[in-house]
Amino acid sequence: MKRYRTGTEAAHVMRDDGDGLMGGLNDVGPDAWVWSADVDYLSGWRQAREAADKLNGALRAAGLDSSTVRAVPNVDADGRGVVRLTAALPAADELADLLRQRGTDSRRRGV
């Protein structure tokens, strides 16, 4: 008989670093689905980690503080990498303003 882990049992792999922006599996509710021994979650998480690192670099370059806004790697039930954007207020508003400004600038240039 195969042993399946619940999200709670496996959550020790990725922990909260204590800043209030949960960086682990709790972002999606660890008990929302059952972990399957047949799914390679680690590969998906590694891919998501690379993408999250790139996005976090761009967020820092835009002047946003990592203690208030950051990309968090995760996986879905099928083992696909997922990147979630986590932001505290008012950083979410600041990011929205930056994105709106970027969109306005792009339209002005015809991009």
Side-chain angles (χ1 to χ4, degrees):
M1 182 170 153
K2 290 184 180 178
R3 167 98 164 86
Y4 296 97
R5 292 184 185 187
T6 67
T8 302
E9 292 172 321
H12 71 279
V13 175
M14 295 167 266
R15 298 188 189 280
D16 182 5
D17 59 12
D19 64 3
L21 300 176
M22 193 65 180
L25 296 174
N26 291 334
D27 291 342
V28 294
D31 294 318
W33 42 272
V34 176
W35 291 54
S36 170
D38 298 327
V39 176
D40 181 8
Y41 298 104
L42 194 52
S43 289
W45 187 85
R46 285 182 184 133
Q47 292 171 347
R49 177 62 185 228
E50 289 177 22
D53 286 346
K54 288 178 187 177
L55 182 52
N56 283 325
L59 292 168
R60 300 302 77 76
L64 296 167
D65 183 356
S66 63
S67 68
T68 59
V69 61
R70 73 164 177 247
V72 179
N74 214 316
V75 292
D76 66 11
D78 295 320
R80 291 182 298 252
V82 176
V83 176
R84 303 194 187 287
L85 189 60
T86 306
L89 296 175
D93 292 330
E94 186 179 348
L95 178 57
D97 291 344
L98 286 169
L99 292 171
R100 271 191 218 97
Q101 182 62 43
R102 175 68 179 163
T104 301
D105 292 347
S106 294
R107 282 191 295 278
R108 284 183 191 152
R109 290 189 310 251
V111 176

